[in-house]
Amino acid sequence: MQEELKALAQAILEGKRNEAVELTQKLVDAGVTPKQILDEGLIAGMSIAGEKFKNGEYFVPEILVAARAMKASMEILRPLLVATDVQPIGTIVIGTVRGDLHDIGKNLVAMMVEGAGFKVVDLGVDVTADKFIAAAKEHNAQIVGMSALLTTTMTYIPEVIKAFDAEGLRPKVKLIVGGAPVTQEWANQIGADAYAPDAATAVDRCKELLGAA
Amino acid sequence: MTSRERVLCAFHRGTPDRVPVSPQHFGRIPPDSDLAAQLVRETDIMLYAGWACDCFVGSALPRDVETTGNMTRTVYHTPYGDLTRVVTRTPVTSACTEFPCKNADDVLKLLATPYEPPTEQTVQEALRHFFQRKDWLGDEGVVLFELPNALCFPAEWLSPQDFCLLWADAPDVMEEMVRVGNERLLAFVERVLKAGVDMFRIVGGEYASTQLGPVAYDRLVRRPDRELVALMHDYGAIAYFHNHGPIMRYLEAIVDIGVDALDPLEAPPWGDCDMPKAKSILKGRVCIVGNIDDMEVMNQRSTEEVLAIGKKLIEEAGPDGFVLSGTASGTYGEHAARNFIALARYVRSQM
Ligand code: B12
């Protein structure tokens, strides 16, 4: 079945939805565990897609179709994963901060993190500190991701961090930040737990935050 | 040289009497304020005017517009069904929250709808706007007619996500939309060229460069925009190209399009412009306009710092074919305006 798992990863990588669904079903029928199909098929494919994006070989459409193929395969796997009590590796709440409507980058991060086995709660754009906090509590999230693309909106991120501190949610909830104007240096300065310059690295950082890297 | 001659000389890749310092439009400065008047007097300002009169869908497509609360809903009635656009306003900003086309089928509906070019009256209004502004500014700077390229047709009619999926799933439909868009655009541009418009600012390349990648850039930007620029040049007009985001891998394509000038060539973290390298590629071929970030640098840093950055830029990108400018955010404020004036005084002191 090793060949089929590789083929599934390749189908995800190329965004071939029907092929991915067929291969997933075939692997399930052959008795391969849903966890192995998820890890060595779906997640493996998404992870290569993320690397290709980072290297400038893939662009937004390629990531979108890979994520779509993964979602379709997940429809088959999800009930089986639940039945065998396989949990997502973690829960992340993500959003673009107040006043900011840029969401192309944030959506890519959400897709890649989901593709790595996380449960993702996407709050959309123009998200206030209150909303981030409420969602983190409601979904028992380990990680909250904030995106900002503007000089004028990135200054809201430290306010959200303070609000999480004031609520006593840290260090239990880890905060990861990103968006074009955000840098590692600035992330350190404002006391964020992590920063990533792109969606593939965001996956690595989130896993590190869980201690699951 | 007058400001206008100075900027034109740079657009033609020449070496003006001094490097032009050109804020792009008035940003958040009220155009009737003293500060705006000072910008006009002291810098070599570039203003935008005119609009493309909905030339992609034209005047025959019936529509109903309704505003309730913070939402404006436009319903376009095509013979094959309705397409709906919703624009939502928040206290800080406004954005399109529902796009009329959701998939390739909607695009085909739109393209199959009978087309009539913009009416003479709407075109005259846009022209009046352009020429009034041009007369008002005189020799104090240049006025550019604002123009979407053909890629703006899909980019403005599909959400960013559906736009990307259209390219992934139905590239032929995307190419057809751009081809039809370009045909309509060229007809519109010829009308305003005949009326005497002499300078255009073409926007839209970034939809391909930041989202779709180089293959799309070649097919959906380089090819159609070459035709557009050739038409402008046939009438002796200036073709100025605006393209946000990482730009280095697209410079050769932009040279090939034949544009006269390019903005904003953002440096990291917003872009990837390595100015000495960009200059070596563009020298003698495309005038560089940029690239001091409006919001982060011009609007926040001290004048000493901005002057130091400006001097370095002039060394790297000037003195020929270079206009010292911001990053076209449309948002620069009072502090940035004063920094532009300080830069203009500095270049003047160096003559
Ligand atoms: C597309 C775009 C828009 C679109 C957004 C559409 C959408 N649905 O997102 C529209 C037209 C709406 C827009 C509007 C505006 N924009 Co804009 N926009 C851009 C543009 C061209 C591309 C951004 C983009 O999508 N990049 C592609 C994605 C894939 O990259 P990314 O977002 O950086 O994301 C990656 C990483 O940053 C990271 N990442 C992102 N988020 C997160 C989150 C986490 C947790 C992590 C770990 C990582 C991470 O991973 C992503 C994937 O690898 C940039 C130009 C540029 N140079 O960036 C300007 C830019 C960001 N915009 C700018 C401006 C000024 C505006 C406006 C104010 C313009 C105006 N006058 O109205 C408005 C503001 C609206 C608002 N309130 O938000 C400026 C900001 C300048 C500054 N110093 O702040 C830029 C830089 C352009 C410029 N130079 O003027 N914009």
Side-chain angles (χ1 to χ4, degrees):
Chain A
M1 283 296 119
Q2 221 47 42
E3 280 310 306
E4 274 79 3
L5 280 166
K6 263 201 193 138
L8 175 57
Q10 190 64 27
I12 298 290
L13 179 64
E14 290 172 12
K16 292 182 175 155
R17 186 170 24 175
N18 297 340
E19 211 176 302
V21 167
E22 269 170 38
L23 282 162
T24 305
Q25 192 59 57
K26 197 170 160 193
L27 284 157
V28 169
D29 294 344
V32 180
T33 67
K35 177 90 172 81
Q36 194 180 358
I37 302 175
L38 178 68
D39 288 344
E40 294 174 35
L42 308 191
I43 294 180
M46 274 310 276
S47 154
I48 307 172
E51 283 304 311
K52 284 187 182 280
F53 181 81
K54 186 167 150 183
N55 301 334
E57 229 181 293
Y58 264 20
F59 285 82
V60 185
E62 289 85 355
I63 298 295
L64 284 174
V65 292
R68 190 173 61 185
M70 165 138 190
K71 270 211 169 103
S73 294
M74 276 303 280
E75 292 300 310
I76 301 173
L77 284 191
R78 194 170 294 116
L80 304 172
L81 288 165
V82 173
T84 48
D85 204 27
V86 177
Q87 300 292 331
I89 61 171
T91 299
I92 172 167
V93 163
I94 193 166
T96 301
V97 298
R98 191 184 69 185
D100 203 320
L101 300 174
H102 296 84
D103 66 357
I104 299 169
K106 182 267 295 166
N107 293 347
L108 285 174
V109 173
M111 275 182 258
M112 287 304 302
V113 173
E114 191 169 21
F118 281 82
K119 176 182 164 196
V120 176
V121 180
D122 188 345
L123 301 180
V125 297
D126 197 17
V127 181
T128 58
D130 289 351
K131 276 197 207 157
F132 276 117
I133 288 174
K137 283 185 183 165
E138 184 190 337
H139 299 279
N140 222 344
Q142 292 95 337
I143 304 174
V144 170
M146 287 171 262
S147 178
L149 265 281
L150 299 168
T151 299
T152 45
T153 56
M154 66 190 274
T155 51
Y156 188 64
I157 295 181
E159 286 186 43
V160 183
I161 296 184
K162 276 193 206 124
F164 270 85
D165 282 332
E167 282 287 314
L169 287 171
R170 296 179 79 201
K172 198 178 138 241
V173 178
K174 306 285 185 206
L175 304 177
I176 180 166
V177 297
V182 177
T183 60
Q184 181 68 60
E185 199 188 347
W186 187 75
N188 294 345
Q189 241 176 54
I190 61 165
D193 298 301
Y195 154 80
D198 60 79
T201 314
V203 170
D204 299 340
R205 293 293 102 83
C206 286
K207 286 186 186 166
E208 284 163 20
L209 286 177
L210 286 183
Chain B
M1 281 179 158
T2 65
S3 284
R4 183 177 165 83
E5 287 166 346
R6 188 170 298 123
V7 175
L8 271 173
C9 174
F11 282 175
H12 287 116
R13 282 79 78 194
T15 306
D17 57 347
R18 59 176 196 249
V19 165
V21 174
S22 305
Q24 302 191 38
H25 216 73
F26 289 117
R28 284 185 285 114
I29 313 297
D32 53 359
S33 64
D34 286 346
L35 188 54
Q38 202 183 347
L39 277 174
V40 169
R41 241 183 1 257
E42 297 221 30
T43 72
D44 309 296
I45 201 162
M46 293 187 281
L47 298 182
Y48 317 144
W51 50 85
C53 302
D54 251 349
C55 67
F56 293 132
V57 290
S59 55
L61 181 63
R63 66 202 75 177
D64 287 312
V65 185
E66 188 194 13
T67 299
T68 38
N70 63 347
M71 281 196 332
T72 300
R73 176 184 299 271
T74 307
V75 180
Y76 301 92
H77 307 289
T78 82
Y80 316 97
D82 288 350
L83 301 172
T84 304
R85 180 191 297 280
V86 178
V87 175
T88 309
R89 280 174 306 281
T90 72
V92 256
T93 185
S94 77
C96 186
T97 43
E98 182 182 339
F99 288 77
C101 297
K102 274 74 180 174
N103 48 43
D105 282 349
D106 286 347
V107 171
L108 294 173
K109 273 186 211 166
L110 187 64
L111 295 184
T113 302
Y115 177 81
E116 288 292 335
T119 62
E120 191 53 27
Q121 193 195 340
T122 42
V123 176
Q124 284 306 328
E125 246 173 77
L127 285 169
R128 205 171 314 122
H129 186 250
F130 176 80
F131 287 114
Q132 270 174 1
R133 196 157 266 177
K134 197 175 166 206
D135 286 347
W136 176 82
L137 189 62
D139 287 331
E140 299 278 17
V142 295
V143 180
L144 299 144
F145 192 99
E146 279 241 86
L147 201 72
N149 69 1
L151 187 58
C152 291
F153 190 12
E156 288 169 0
W157 282 75
L158 292 107
S159 72
Q161 181 151 336
D162 292 336
F163 169 78
C164 288
L165 283 175
L166 184 69
W167 179 241
D169 292 336
D172 50 333
V173 175
M174 176 78 110
E175 285 196 78
E176 180 60 5
M177 193 174 191
V178 168
R179 188 193 65 73
V180 171
N182 206 39
E183 213 172 81
R184 295 172 181 180
L185 182 67
L186 290 171
F188 170 77
V189 169
E190 184 138 35
R191 279 168 85 179
V192 297
L193 279 165
K194 281 185 174 148
V197 173
D198 56 356
M199 244 182 246
F200 294 86
R201 178 175 188 266
I202 306 164
V203 310
E206 69 213 35
Y207 288 118
S209 65
T210 63
Q211 294 177 43
L212 306 181
V215 175
Y217 202 88
D218 184 63
R219 298 214 202 135
L220 307 173
V221 179
R222 189 185 63 80
R223 287 188 204 170
D225 289 13
R226 257 182 96 156
E227 277 183 74
L228 180 65
V229 168
L231 175 66
M232 291 170 182
H233 285 169
D234 282 348
Y235 283 81
I238 291 280
Y240 174 115
F241 202 70
H242 165 75
N243 196 138
H244 276 306
I247 199 76
M248 296 304 284
R249 72 192 289 177
Y250 300 102
L251 289 179
E252 285 296 351
I254 291 170
V255 169
D256 192 57
I257 293 170
V259 298
D260 299 293
L262 169 68
D263 89 27
L265 295 110
E266 291 137 335
W270 288 278
D272 64 353
C273 177
D274 169 341
M275 194 51 92
K277 209 165 157 204
K279 184 68 185 180
S280 72
I281 296 170
L282 300 177
K283 191 175 172 59
R285 309 203 279 177
V286 177
C287 169
I288 293 174
V289 184
N291 72 347
I292 310 184
D293 186 77
D294 287 341
M295 290 166 86
E296 175 96 29
V297 182
M298 290 304 280
N299 221 29
Q300 296 192 8
R301 306 273 180 89
S302 70
T303 301
E304 292 72 55
E305 252 181 295
V306 169
L307 283 177
I309 295 169
K311 281 179 206 173
K312 183 158 171 272
L313 260 179
I314 292 173
E315 274 167 30
E316 291 174 351
D320 57 310
F322 176 53
V323 175
L324 182 51
S325 185
T327 42
S329 71
T331 63
Y332 74 85
E334 205 175 308
H335 186 73
R338 299 204 189 282
N339 275 332
F340 274 121
I341 291 167
L343 282 168
R345 286 184 182 164
Y346 164 74
V347 291
R348 209 173 302 133
S349 75
Q350 298 299 300
M351 284 175 77

